[in-house]
Amino acid sequence: MMTGIFRARLCTLFLGGCLLAAAQSPANLLQNPSFENALPGGWSQDPSSAGKGLIYRSEAMVEQGKYSLRMFATRLNSGTAGGDLGVTQTLPVTPYLGKPLYFSAWMNVKGNGPATALVRLIGLTSSGNVYFRQLKQDVLTDRLVFHQDLLDVPNDPTLIALFLDCSVQGSDVLATFDNLVVSDDPSVANWPMGQFNPGPDLDANVVIHTDEVVRRIPSTLYGMNLEWVNAGQGLWDDTTGTFNPDALDLAQNLGSSLWRFPGGLFADYYHWRDGVGPPDQRPADRPGPVDYSSTNSFGTDEALQLAQSTGGTLIITVNPLTGTPQEAADWVAYVNNGQRRVDRWEVGNEMYLQFPADSSGPYVLGAPTIEIPPADYAQRLIAFAQAMKAVDPTIKIGADVEFNVAVSAFRLFPDWVDQVLKLAGNNIDFLSVHNGLLPGLTDDAGWDVRTVYSAMLASPILLKNALAELSNKIDTEAGPNAPNISIGITEWGPLFQTDPQSRFIDHVKTLGSTLFAADLLKTLIENTRTDVACAFKFIDGSTQGWVGPRDGVFVAKAPYYALQMFTHHFGPNLVETDTQSPTYDTRSIGWAEAVQGVPYLDVVSSVDDTRNTLYIIAINKHFDRAITANIDLGGFSASGQATAWTLDGTAIDANTGTSVLGAGVAPQAVAAPDGQFENGGADQIWVNSTDLNVSGTYLQYEFPAHSITAIVIQGNPASASDSDSSSDFSTP
C-alpha cells in the first residue's frame, strides 16, 4: 500500500480522465516507450505536479533510438502539496488479472542533494487500495542504469486501473528515462533475474585491512527477545519452578549478552507488578486484546536470573499504552535494588501500528488498541523518560519509531520518525526500530522458494540503506541532542508470513533464513550508529522462535547457529574488509524490494585487542556453487595455526526438524529441485571444524554453497607491534 497522498494522486489521474489508454501490443504494452514520438505520445503529466519543473525529450544520454525523456525538478518539487514531477501511462487491466507483468527501464539521476528517479508499476482498486512495485535510481552516475522488476497483478475484480508512473524526487534534480518496457512476456523485459543456474565454481577477491579498526563491536548487538507469556514461551517450568533444562542450556550456549523483556506486542499490556513476588500469588493476565490468559510465572526476577546465568543483561520495554510513568519509574527502582542491573529501557513497542485492526477473530475483549498518533506518543515518551530518569538519571531511554525498509509496507503515520525526533529529541538516547523483519510476504503469488530466498538474501542491502537514511533523519530532525542518539534494532530476523495457511509460515527455521540472519548481523555490525540488536525471538512453540520443539524437547533451529558463529568465533574489533564477488539481481518479494548487484559472497572481519588473532566470517549465498576466495590478510602475518568452522546443510531449505505446536499449518513450500524442507532433522544442519595451516599474509579458501564459515587465524606476536594502530583497541 502507499501513502494517502500518492493514492489521491492516482485517483485524480484516473477519475479525471487525463490519461490515454495504451494500445496493447504483442510485446511492449507501452506506447512511445523510448520517446521517439513527440510528447505526450501516450504519456500524461500528473496535474498535481504542474509548475514543479520541466519535462522534455532530449538527445543526451540515450539508450535506444534518438531520444530519451528528461525531467528537471525545481525547488517547488520538494516540500509542497501534490505529487512529484512525473508522467504516467495507463495499461489495460482485464487481460492481466492474476498474471505477472514484467517491467524495466534505463534511468539516471543527477543533483546536488537527495535525488531519486522512480518508475512505478501500479494497480488501483475501486476502494482506493494500491498494489505497486518500483524501480529506483538514487545513485548519481554518468550513465543510464538498467533496472527491472515485476508486479504480480492480483486477480482482484475491484482492480480498475494499471499505471506506469515515471517521476523524480528532490529539488534541483535532473532525471533521465529511456527504453521503458512493460510486458507479460519475461523475455521482452530481459527476464529472468536471480541465481538459478548451476555451473562452475565462482571466484572472489577479499582484502582485509587489519590496521583499519572501524569500531569496537558492541556485545549488545548479539541480543535476543524474550516474552513473559506462557511461562516465557516454555523457557520456565511451572511444575518445578525452575528453567526448562534444555532451553536454559541453549540460552547459555548461544552467547547472547542482551535479552529484551517482556515481549513485543505483549509489552504494551504488561504490568510488571503482576510478575513479581511468590509465583503462586501472581495473577493470571490476558497478554493483550485476546481471549486467553497466561500465568505470570516468568516475570522480572526470572528474566534477570536468565540474563545473569548467560553473562548478559536485560533491555526492558515499559508500557505507555495501559501503564503510567510512575509505574515505569517504580519498575526502574525495583530492578535497581541497590545496584543498577538494567541500563536500557524502551518506551513502548510498535505504538505506530493499528492493533487489532478490527474486532473479528479472537480480538473481542475491548482492551485498548495500539494506535497512538506520533505527537501523542512523543508526549508520553517525555513523561515516561522524565519519571524514569528521576529514579536513575544514567539509564538510556529508547524511543519506539517506525522505519520499515520497505516502501510497500503500509505506514499508518508516515511522518512518525520526524515528529517524534522533533518533539522529544532531547529525551531520547536511542531509537528502537523494527526494520529487519524480512522478506515479509504480505501475500503469496505462488512464488517458488528460490525466488523468495534470493530476494530475502538481498534485503540486508536494503537495511543498510535504511539505516543510513534513518541516521540522516536523526542528524537533521533531533536537534542538539542528535549526536548522542544511537540506533537499536530491537526486533529483527527472518519473517515470511503469519497466516497458518500460508506456504512459507514455517520457513524461519531453514538454512536460507540462517544465511539471511548472518548477513543481517554483518550489516548491523558495520553500521557504527547501531549499538543494540535483538533477534526475534529466542523461544516459541509456534514458528518464529529460534529454539523450538522436536520430539518433545527444545532444540536449536538453524538461525540459532548463525548468531552463535558470531558470539563464539568473532573478535571484538571490526576491521575494514573489501570484497569483490560475482553478483546477482533480484525481483521484489513482499517487503524485500528489487536489488541489483547483490554479492554472492559477503565477508566481515575483526581482530582481538592485541591484534594477534584475526577473525573472518564469510557468507556464501549461492544455492548451488562454491566460491573460491583469494584473501589478502593485509598487515596481518599468520603463524600457521588456524581453524575454520563451517555452518551448512543439505539444501537451502534444510532445517533441524522442529515442529509447530497445534494443528492447521498448511503444507510448506519446498525448494526445487533438491529441497529438503520435509526431511528436517538433526542430520540436516551441521557445524564442522577443520584445522588449517595458514602462514604469511595470504589465504585461499573455498567456501561451500549456501554456507557460513568462520575462520580464526593466529598471528605471529612480532607482527602485532608492526602497526601503531594496534596500540589500543579497547576503547569503544
Side-chain angles (χ1 to χ4, degrees), residues 62-78:
V62 174
E63 169 59 28
Q64 177 175 295
K66 186 177 180 180
Y67 294 101
S68 62
L69 180 70
R70 283 199 149 176
M71 301 181 192
F72 177 73
T74 66
R75 295 183 180 181
L76 295 176
N77 194 53
S78 178

Side-chain angles (χ1 to χ4, degrees), residues 413-590:
F413 303 105
D415 60 345
W416 181 280
V417 174
D418 304 75
Q419 287 207 45
V420 171
L421 285 172
K422 287 179 181 178
L423 295 172
N426 288 336
N427 295 270
I428 297 171
D429 297 298
F430 66 97
L431 297 185
S432 176
V433 190
H434 299 170
N435 63 349
L437 296 164
L438 294 156
L441 308 184
T442 53
D443 53 9
D444 183 355
W447 303 304
D448 63 87
V449 172
R450 285 178 170 238
T451 299
V452 172
Y453 280 27
S454 291
M456 175 177 65
L457 293 173
S459 59
I461 294 175
L462 301 175
L463 178 61
K464 176 182 178 181
N465 296 337
L467 289 174
E469 185 178 352
L470 180 58
S471 183
N472 182 65
K473 279 187 175 290
I474 295 172
D475 292 335
T476 57
E477 305 291 348
N481 191 44
N484 302 316
I485 299 176
S486 63
I487 297 174
I489 311 298
T490 55
E491 288 187 17
W492 69 269
L495 176 66
F496 292 81
Q497 290 175 299
T498 57
D499 181 357
Q501 296 305 305
S502 69
R503 297 182 306 125
F504 286 94
I505 186 172
D506 202 22
H507 276 252
V508 169
K509 66 186 182 184
T510 67
L511 180 60
S513 291
T514 306
L515 301 180
F516 163 76
D519 211 25
L520 196 140
L521 262 176
K522 169 186 176 290
T523 301
L524 298 178
I525 288 169
E526 292 175 336
N527 185 276
T528 56
R529 198 162 200 162
T530 302
D531 61 4
V532 168
C534 297
F536 193 81
K537 52 190 170 175
F538 176 62
I539 191 167
D540 194 352
S542 61
T543 60
Q544 293 183 331
W546 289 22
V547 166
R550 183 180 68 204
D551 299 328
V553 176
F554 282 118
V555 300
K557 298 181 185 180
Y560 171 101
Y561 297 110
L563 181 55
Q564 197 179 59
M565 294 287 274
F566 282 89
T567 60
H568 286 206
H569 309 302
F570 203 59
N573 301 291
L574 176 69
V575 295
E576 191 71 35
T577 303
D578 297 325
T579 304
Q580 293 182 335
S581 161
T583 63
Y584 69 100
D585 300 333
T586 70
R587 59 151 295 178
S588 55
I589 294 287

Side-chain angles (χ1 to χ4, degrees), residues 622-709:
H622 202 291
F623 301 156
D624 309 292
R625 301 163 74 171
I627 298 178
T628 299
N630 301 306
I631 305 173
D632 182 346
L633 304 182
F636 187 87
S637 179
S639 66
Q641 300 178 8
T643 305
W645 285 266
T646 301
L647 169 56
D648 204 349
T650 55
I652 196 65
D653 60 353
N655 59 85
T656 61
T658 55
S659 59
V660 180
L661 297 182
V665 175
Q668 296 296 283
V670 177
D674 57 353
Q676 297 293 317
F677 186 92
E678 297 174 340
N679 299 320
D683 60 345
Q684 296 292 298
I685 300 289
W686 57 80
V687 178
N688 291 332
S689 64
T690 304
D691 290 334
L692 306 176
N693 190 322
V694 181
S695 298
T697 61
Y698 175 82
L699 168 65
Q700 186 177 79
Y701 195 87
E702 181 179 271
F703 299 103
H706 52 57
S707 70
I708 304 167
T709 302

Side-chain angles (χ1 to χ4, degrees), residues 269 289 321-322 351 353-358 366-372:
Y269 300 89
L321 181 68
T322 61
M351 300 274 91
L353 294 183
Q354 185 181 55
F355 183 86
D358 55 54
T369 58
I370 302 172
E371 183 185 346
I372 302 177

